[in-house]
Structures are given as C-alpha cells and as structure tokens.
Amino acid sequence: MMMLKDTYSAEIEATLAKYPPENKRAAVMPLLHLAQRENGYVTKSALYEIADLCGVAVTEVASIMGFYTLYHDQPGGKYRLQVCTDLPCALRGANEFLEQLCANVGVKVGETTADGMITIEAVTCLAGCNKAPMFQVQTGEGLEYYENQTVESAVALINDLVKR
Amino acid sequence: MAEHILLRHRDIPNIDRLEVYRQQGGFEAFQKAVASLTPDAVTDIVKASGLRGRGGAGFPTGMKWSFTDRKNWPHYVVCNADESEPGTFKDREILTGNPFQLLEGVAIASYAVGARVAYIYLRGEFWPIARELDKRIAELEAAGLLGDKLFGTEYSLRIYTHLGAGAYICGEETALLESIEGKLGQPRLRPPFPPAVGLFGKPTVINNTETLANVPLILQRGAEWFRSFGTEKSPGVKIFSLSGCVNRPGNYELPLGTTFRELIMGRGGGIAYGHKIKAIMPAGNSSSLIVATDEALNTPMDYESVPKLGAQLGSASVIVIDDSVDIPWLINKTVHFFRHESCGKCTPCREGTYWMSQLTERIAAGHATAEDVALLKAVAGQIKGKCFCALGEFSIEAVLSGMDRFKDDFEAKVSSYE
Ligand SMILES: Cc1cc2nc3c(=O)[nH]c(=O)nc-3n(C[C@H](O)[C@H](O)[C@H](O)COP(=O)(O)O)c2cc1C
Ligand code: SF4
Ligand code: FES
C-alpha cells in the first residue's frame, strides 16, 4: 500500500513541527490537504495514516473531512470547475453564466463529463466578487482562479484542460 | 490621489519583493520595537492611534492586545485571513499585493503580546497564496528578520500559515481556533475570550489581516499621523470592497467617514446599464438592506454613522443593488448562503436557516401566499437573539430589513400568485 510517509516524509515532519508536540492533532487539516494533493481526493488508507500520525481516531478525521467542503472522499472529475453564484457575483450575471456554461459542456450543475475530466459545481463566495463571473479550478495539485470570464473563455479553457 | 497606506503595491511597484519593501523602510518598525521598545510601549502606540479591528466588529486593537493574560504562557497571535463574507475581497489583495507589510504587522503584534509563535489562518481557496507566504517567511528567516534571538535580543518569533478547507464559520474567531486545533469549525462559548483562553488553551490575540497591515506604518509614522485620517471615533483609512451593480467594482482605500455617495457614485462610477440605485448592503451578505435615499448616500461610512441607518459597517463590503433587482430574490440568495454555512451546532440557526430558505425560495419564485411571508417573519423572529454565535444573527439581517423596508416587492410577489 502506498503510504504518504514514503513520499512526503520531509513535508510531514515540517507540518508536525508547526504545532506544539502535545497538539499534534492540529496537523490533521494540513495532512488532509497533502493527501488530497496526491490523488485529487483522500483515500481510505490516507485517512488511517493521518489518524495514526496525529494520534486521533479515524472517525474523527473522517468527521473533519465531512465538515469542510474542500475535502473529497470520492474521486471527481480531473478538474473541478467551481463557479461562485453568491449574491455579488449573481448581480453580475453568475447564474446565467453557469447555466450557459453547463448547457455548452452538456452537464448539469454538480455533474461530471462522460470522459471524467470536468465537474462543474456552484460554490459560495471566493473573494473575487468584483471580477464576476468567476470560478476556481480545483485539481489534485492545487487551485487556480479565473476571473472576468465569459462562456466563450470558459469553454476555451475547458478544451485546453482536457488536452493537458 | 493620496498615497495608499495599505494597498501600497498600487503606488510602489514590486513592494511584494523583500528588498523593495525594505527600501521603503520595511521591517525598521519591527526592529525598532524589538531592539528599543517594551512590548507595553508598542501596545500603547497602537492604543493611541485608535485603530479598530477591520474584521467586522470594530473592536479597539490596542485594547484587545492589552487584555492578554500575563499569568498564562505561552501566548499566540493569529491573523484571520479567512475572508469568506460574500462581497469581501480586500484581504486577498493585501496578501498578494503587499504581503510583507502584513507579515511585519503580525511580527509587531506578536512582540507586543509576547507571542513567539504566530499563525496566519487562510481560507483553503487561498492555497496558492499560502504557498507564496511560506516562501516569504523563509526569506525573512534567511534575512534574520524572523527566527531565533532577533536583532541581538532574546526575542524569537516563528510565523506559520494554516489552511482552512471551505467553511465560512471558520472566520468566526473561536471556530477558527478550533479549526487550527484540528477540530470541526464550531464556535466556542465566550467568555472566556481568546486573550484569556485561546489557541491550545493559551492566551491568544486574533486580528483581521487588514487590521494587522495597518500596524507597521502606525509604528513608523506615529499615532498622530494615523489619526489625521478618518474621524475622531473611527481613525485611519479602510479598504472598501465595492461590488454589485456598479460600473467600477473593486477595492477602494479611503478614509473612514467617506460617504456612500463618494464611494458608489464617485470612485465606483455610478450604477451600471442606466439603472437607478435601490439599496445598499454595507457589510456584505451579513448586512441589513439600507434604502438608498439621498440621506443614506450622504452618510459617512464609519463605525458610528452607519448604525443610524439601521445597519452596520462590518467588514465594509459594500454591495450595490439597482432597481432591476427583486428583493425577495436577493434575500433568497443571502439565506441560501447562511443555510449552507450554518455549522449545525445550535438549533435556531441550523433549523431556522433551513426553514427560511424553503420559504424564501417559494416567495422568490412567486409561489407563495401572504401566510408564507408572515411565516418567514415569524421564523426570523425565532432566530433573533437565540443563536450561539453571530452567524445565526447575520442570517436574518437582510430578511427582516428587506421585508420591513421593501414591502412593495413582497406584496407584488404574493398578490401576483394569489
Ligand atoms: C460568522 C462570522 C464570520 C467571520 N468571518 C471573518 C473573516 O472572514 N475574517 C475576519 O477577519 N473576521 C471575521 N469575523 C470576525 C472575527 O470573529 C473576529 O472578530 C475578527 O477576526 C477580529 O479581528 P479584528 O479585531 O482585527 O477585527 C467573523 C465573525 C463571524 C461571527
Ligand atoms: S449560530 Fe449557526 S453557525 Fe453559530 S454556532 Fe449556531 S449553528 Fe453554528
Ligand atoms: S460573491 Fe462571488 S466571489 Fe464573492
């Protein structure tokens, strides 16, 4: 079985060192981020390993994963395209943008394309409200913001991502 | 245009590079503090400046620092960079544009309260920003500006970033502490307040990103200089995040006490697409709706004037609503957000936001009766004053003020259905 410790031992050490030794539990969230970077979602085995590293029960790590929306316990599309539809963005056409984008790509909000590449989701404010319509693209490795978007620019981006 | 105090990257290219920041006098204030001022003297300067917290509540910063319990050690400083209030995008600009000024602010606050470890809590979506900050912290350590025995003294300081993972409630200071500790982001009972019992059970000062970014220049240029901006009770400048139906949305750094009119019609270039202004939400999604009368537009944006309009300045995230916007649609949006973000710890908020969202959905769609509107008001009334933390209270601000101040919009919805 692939262990995080084998690949990321230095990073795990550095993460644990950020917190007082008697509060290792504080490393749960950073280690979940690390695990997710590896696969785009947190695997069962990573869950057990993190519980072990931080000295907490597996169920507690699982409940933390459930509470925070950025963690995923299921593989999604390779790229999660998350459009903000909160009030300030909605006042600048975010709902219409999302609707047209979905129609263009041929999925409903929350669905993944048949090739497993793109999931389109609606999310809450991303602190880019002045540049709506905007979205973030979440991948295993990280996050990127795309602001002042049009349906055309978003579709072009998707075509680009699929080719990568 | 006056020079910026916080958004200095707009005047000084490359101030996000350490050598440029230092050419501008960067880290001299921190060095001066550590090498020649007592922690109390630093706190006194911040007190004298009248700086108030920019995270929403406007609490006097120096006073908060002085509450740190000196019988319980170690102490911690936590910078709140969770920035998740819809309509707020100012901390992100500081973090990316002028990061060293924030880091110096964190360092000075840490020295003032005797903290040797500080955490910057960033929302999970700011992952790339956190990675950049980590590099900058490493640069500061390499330059001898952070680390052990600074400037030939016994004082040592480490700054670490900590990422959230998508939960608005973690902006609330005690939920934020739980989150750093590796727990669910649910608020703690207060008191005790964090300066008495905070992170890992130790005294902790939590300040907003913008608050801390003010500190280096207050030390460098003095409390009097700081008080030359803003009003008597709300000194200094503020970053107003302007969004919604305006021609030029964006961050505007202006003295506290600038009028809504100057921000919206002046800087923001007025209302887009030839529409007229209808309402203003000065504190993002958590805001009451202000009817955009001439009197309201002429009101100064500061902590003492906005409450006279039946609203709060909060984080100064000004959302502009024009006359094409239907208020029931709008409150359905705000309620939907709070329902999604309720942490579920207490019943009035968890159940109340759920029921409100069911009702506002129906009202906004034009499928509601007058009884539904009355029920919405009743449910909001049940939430009021009964929640464990302010999120629940925020959830009814737009609902109650909207129903009260924009009655026609609701009547039109209901009568067209009945
Ligand atoms: C639901 C809720 C969300 C909050 N979100 C934030 C936030 O994103 N950023 C922030 O600085 N303060 C936020 N606050 C305020 C913090 O609890 C706290 O008052 C603030 O960080 C203190 O810093 P200041 O004194 O410098 O303003 C929030 C409060 C509540 C109740
Ligand atoms: S008011 Fe809402 S967010 Fe606050 S503790 Fe209660 S359920 Fe959680
Ligand atoms: S409301 Fe969409 S980014 Fe803030």
Side-chain angles (χ1 to χ4, degrees), chain A residues 47-111:
Chain A
L47 205 67
Y48 277 85
E49 192 181 348
I50 290 169
D52 195 38
L53 284 165
C54 301
V56 294
V58 179
T59 50
E60 291 202 64
V61 182
S63 82
I64 288 167
M65 264 186 68
F67 184 87
Y68 295 96
T69 58
L70 282 182
Y71 297 131
H72 307 292
D73 60 3
Q74 298 287 328
K78 184 155 183 233
Y79 300 97
R80 289 176 196 266
L81 202 141
Q82 302 175 319
V83 181
C84 169
T85 54
D86 260 336
L87 178 62
C89 282
L91 289 170
R92 302 184 76 80
N95 286 322
E96 296 75 14
F97 169 81
L98 176 63
E99 203 172 295
Q100 289 166 21
L101 182 64
C102 283
N104 246 280
V105 177
V107 292
K108 291 207 187 73
V109 178
E111 287 180 354

Side-chain angles (χ1 to χ4, degrees), chain A residues 126-127 145, chain B residues 81 83 92 95 122-130 163:
Chain A
L126 297 169
Y145 274 43
Chain B
E83 188 158 75
R92 182 177 160 217
L95 289 159
L122 300 103
R123 59 180 296 173
E125 290 82 354
F126 289 175
W127 180 80
I129 301 177
L163 275 179

Side-chain angles (χ1 to χ4, degrees), chain B residues 62-83:
Chain B
M63 202 189 296
K64 185 187 278 188
W65 294 4
S66 68
F67 289 159
T68 332
D69 182 359
R70 301 188 185 198
K71 293 190 289 296
N72 190 2
W73 295 87
H75 294 173
Y76 293 103
V77 163
V78 174
C79 168
N80 190 340
D82 191 55
E83 188 158 75

Side-chain angles (χ1 to χ4, degrees), chain A residues 3-5 12 16 24-36 41-58 60-62 64-65 71:
Chain A
M3 297 288 280
L4 293 172
K5 263 191 297 216
I12 292 171
L16 288 166
K24 277 199 300 195
R25 179 188 181 126
V28 168
M29 288 182 67
L31 292 179
L32 282 170
H33 280 299
L34 182 107
Q36 184 152 299
Y41 73 106
V42 182
T43 61
K44 262 262 150 51
S45 77
L47 205 67
Y48 277 85
E49 192 181 348
I50 290 169
D52 195 38
L53 284 165
C54 301
V56 294
V58 179
E60 291 202 64
V61 182
I64 288 167
M65 264 186 68
Y71 297 131

